[in-house]
Amino acid sequence: MVLLEVVALAVLASATTALGNATARGSKIACTQFSPSNIPNVALTAATYFPAHARVDITNVFSSINTTDLPAFCRVELKITTNATAGSFANTEVWLPDDWNGRSLTVGNGGLGGGVTVADLGGVAVPQGFAGISTNTGHNSTSGDGSWAGPHNDNAIVDWGWRAVHLSVVAGKEVAKQYYRQAPKRSYYAGCSTGGRQGLKEIQMFPDSFDGIVVGSPANWMSHLQPWSVHMSLNVLPANSSRFIPQSTWDNVIGPEVMRQCDDLDGLSDGIINDPRACSFRPEALTCTTGQNTSTCLTEDQIGALHRIYADYYEADQTYIFGGYQPGGEKAFATGLVGDPPFPLPQDWFRFFLLNDTQWTQDEYNATVITLGEQLNPGQSDAITPNLTAFAGAPHNGKVLHYVGWADQLISPGNSVHYYETVHAFARANTSLAVDDFYRLFPVPGMNHWCVAIPSPTFGGQAANAFGGVQQPPPLSLDAEHNILAAMMHWVEDGVAPSTIIGVKYKNDVPADGVAFTRPICKARMTHAKK
């Protein structure tokens, strides 16, 4: 009898060891039997195993993926209570590859949308071996729909503003720790637009969450971005006014003239303005002459509108609100903020986030709403704190890689430059930190708003717009020279900071169509001297 008990115990021990080894490696058994424990306010809703090259076909209202190219992974779905009193919750997913690289990667969202960003979990995180984390931010909607937020749904706005992401980061890293039986050795973040805002917000509020973040064209100043967006629209609307500029005029009149005046300033005539701040575009060169076909020239009212569109936006008391468009992105501008009908997101922000007036239209806009937005800061969504000392200083030593398209048609690239400069000024005035040691900005010549919030996946501009960011075609290589996420890891883990990243432009933005050209994307040239 004793012998049988010994044998039974040996068999049980062997089985337990096998299960443990399977969990450490990742497997179907480990996945389907996985149940995270003792994570406050977190409940498992499903765990599904996908073998290598299985069909992964997942769609929600915000994001989708349909591929057979992924390595084996476990899809863990969670329900996270964000406010027990209100009964609110967020849906969060953690994708756990069998071939884990020992790191976590949280990916952001876009616009006002709500949905797990499965496209980036499958397109960026899992193929590179990360335990990927993403949340629906506590609601389900498309990127341009803000009706879920109101009137007066303040709790949901807070979830969107920061809470759902933070709780998901905490829960996701703990899930990875329990699944692999070891904690992630490093934690990273990647997001663009609203996703960029989410990354900056997290390191400002919770500086220990990430070792490094990669953010693109962040929508981090919502209380100024949305008024600026309406201001831009009102520069040209209504469409029957003398100041309206149709798409054909942007394409065939203004765009070519901008290139004629400024394309070769960088020594290369290639349809890309390397640094549009050097371009002093004179739209007066396009003024209609007597008898000229007005489809081939500009009226004085259109010229006036252009000057306002390219200018920084200041209010009457000379308060800086936001940057303007930069020369070089004209083909995308009419599909951005200066077309007809108006871009829908700003109107929903005013209706449901700020004013709680579902009938408000942008024709009612006036500067008082800027002050109101600053005061209310719906959902604490502004992420403009310049003090990154707790994140960047010892002992944490966190890093920021920030990119933005000079031809961005939805968020002025001036916003990225402005935030970077406020961080630099704060660090210089108040710390011994040199901004270049923890924060690097990479403006991308010719690139539009290449993010999940964009209404069409084909917007990329004429730029070398694929370099490992979210919602981009894949980079030419996953090494640190071509992949901004790998460059971030190289900086954090090896102490080697990037100065250039090689971007690729695919023909038609489709990798299968071949490479059109490659181009180095350079760190912003600011005349900063170390203290």
Side-chain angles (χ1 to χ4, degrees):
M1 191 70 176
V2 173
L3 179 60
L4 289 176
E5 290 177 352
V6 170
V7 171
L9 288 172
V11 171
L12 178 60
S14 177
T16 301
T17 301
L19 180 58
N21 290 339
T23 303
R25 294 192 310 269
S27 72
K28 182 175 183 179
I29 294 174
C31 178
T32 56
Q33 295 185 3
F34 177 66
S35 180
S37 60
N38 300 318
I39 308 178
N41 301 312
V42 175
L44 176 72
T45 57
T48 309
Y49 187 72
F50 291 88
H53 302 293
R55 172 67 62 183
V56 180
D57 186 0
I58 302 170
T59 297
N60 59 53
V61 69
F62 174 74
S63 179
S64 65
I65 185 171
N66 188 346
T67 184
T68 58
D69 291 338
L70 297 186
F73 71 98
C74 179
R75 178 194 185 196
V76 174
E77 299 174 71
L78 306 172
K79 179 179 179 180
I80 300 178
T81 299
T82 57
N83 185 332
T85 301
S88 60
F89 64 91
N91 294 327
T92 296
E93 296 191 21
V94 187
W95 289 20
L96 303 158
D98 286 7
D99 189 13
W100 184 42
N101 68 10
R103 305 167 179 89
S104 67
L105 176 69
T106 302
V107 295
N109 304 85
L112 307 177
V116 170
T117 313
V118 294
D120 288 332
L121 289 176
V124 179
V126 166
Q128 297 182 57
F130 292 96
I133 303 166
S134 180
T135 177
N136 75 338
T137 73
H139 73 280
N140 299 310
S141 78
T142 61
S143 62
D145 177 15
S147 60
W148 55 268
H152 302 291
N153 196 1
D154 295 340
N155 187 64
I157 298 174
V158 171
D159 279 347
W160 172 84
W162 64 270
R163 187 167 56 194
V165 167
H166 176 64
L167 295 177
S168 297
V169 170
V170 173
K173 289 197 284 188
E174 180 60 26
V175 164
K177 177 182 178 181
Q178 293 187 23
Y179 185 78
Y180 294 114
R181 300 191 176 182
Q182 57 180 301
K185 61 184 178 183
R186 296 289 186 180
S187 178
Y188 295 99
Y189 178 87
C192 187
S193 196
T194 283
R197 180 191 64 79
Q198 290 167 324
L200 290 174
K201 187 69 177 180
E202 186 71 9
I203 65 169
Q204 291 168 15
M205 293 184 70
F206 306 99
D208 293 334
S209 287
F210 304 121
D211 296 291
I213 67 169
V214 176
V215 296
S217 193
N220 61 307
W221 203 359
M222 290 293 288
S223 64
H224 280 208
L225 168 60
Q226 302 313 327
W228 169 76
S229 299
V230 172
H231 161 79
M232 291 290 279
S233 180
L234 293 176
N235 282 329
V236 295
L237 291 181
N240 60 0
S241 69
S242 59
R243 62 182 179 269
F244 184 72
I245 303 172
Q247 176 77 64
S248 59
T249 301
W250 287 108
D251 289 347
N252 303 321
V253 180
I254 302 171
E257 180 62 20
V258 168
M259 289 300 158
R260 189 190 69 79
Q261 293 185 24
C262 298
D263 186 10
D264 61 0
L265 291 176
D266 55 10
L268 183 64
S269 295
D270 58 355
I272 299 173
I273 300 175
N274 194 57
D275 187 344
R277 293 172 299 181
C279 174
S280 298
F281 171 53
R282 291 185 61 254
E284 287 79 5
L286 295 170
T287 305
C288 292
T289 59
T290 302
Q292 185 175 356
N293 183 336
T294 55
S295 68
T296 65
C297 57
L298 298 178
T299 67
E300 290 181 292
D301 286 345
Q302 289 173 321
I303 290 171
L306 276 181
H307 280 296
R308 293 188 296 274
I309 287 168
Y310 289 116
D312 290 348
Y313 176 26
Y314 287 85
E315 262 307 323
D317 61 356
Q318 294 306 298
T319 298
Y320 174 79
I321 306 303
F322 220 69
Y325 277 169
Q326 292 289 339
E330 285 71 25
K331 287 188 176 181
F333 289 169
T335 55
L337 301 176
V338 292
D340 182 48
F343 191 62
L345 191 153
Q347 180 169 272
D348 272 17
W349 189 82
F350 280 106
R351 284 180 172 181
F352 303 111
F353 286 66
L354 184 64
L355 301 175
N356 290 303
D357 177 359
T358 61
Q359 301 305 308
W360 185 89
T361 65
Q362 68 176 29
D363 294 331
E364 302 173 65
Y365 174 78
N366 63 72
T368 62
V369 297
I370 302 174
T371 302
L372 180 64
E374 292 174 332
Q375 293 171 344
L376 295 182
N377 187 14
Q380 298 174 267
S381 58
D382 277 353
I384 57 175
T385 303
N387 182 2
L388 300 183
T389 309
F391 172 73
H396 190 64
N397 300 316
K399 310 297 184 188
V400 178
L401 286 180
H402 178 165
Y403 62 89
V404 63
W406 273 130
D408 196 312
Q409 78 279 32
L410 295 182
I411 302 176
S412 169
N415 174 65
S416 289
V417 174
H418 181 269
Y419 179 67
Y420 171 84
E421 293 288 26
T422 64
V423 173
H424 169 251
F426 182 92
R428 187 173 179 85
N430 299 282
T431 78
S432 60
L433 297 171
V435 69
D436 212 38
D437 291 341
F438 69 91
Y439 187 165
R440 297 195 170 197
L441 174 64
F442 288 79
V444 186
M447 189 173 80
N448 301 144
H449 193 74
W450 198 232
C451 305
V452 70
I454 201 147
S456 166
T458 58
F459 290 160
Q462 302 306 307
N465 52 31
F467 45 87
V470 295
Q471 291 298 297
Q472 295 179 355
L476 201 58
S477 167
L478 293 178
D479 62 26
E481 186 178 8
H482 300 84
N483 178 11
I484 195 169
L485 188 54
M488 169 57 77
M489 289 191 290
H490 198 30
W491 192 10
V492 168
E493 299 175 23
D494 304 316
V496 181
S499 294
T500 60
I501 297 166
I502 305 299
V504 58
K505 174 68 173 181
Y506 295 108
K507 297 174 182 177
N508 306 309
D509 292 319
V510 177
D513 291 350
V515 172
F517 60 87
T518 62
R519 187 168 189 170
I521 300 166
C522 300
K523 183 188 68 164
R525 289 179 290 184
M526 308 290 186
T527 55
H528 293 160
K530 291 189 177 181
K531 293 179 66 175

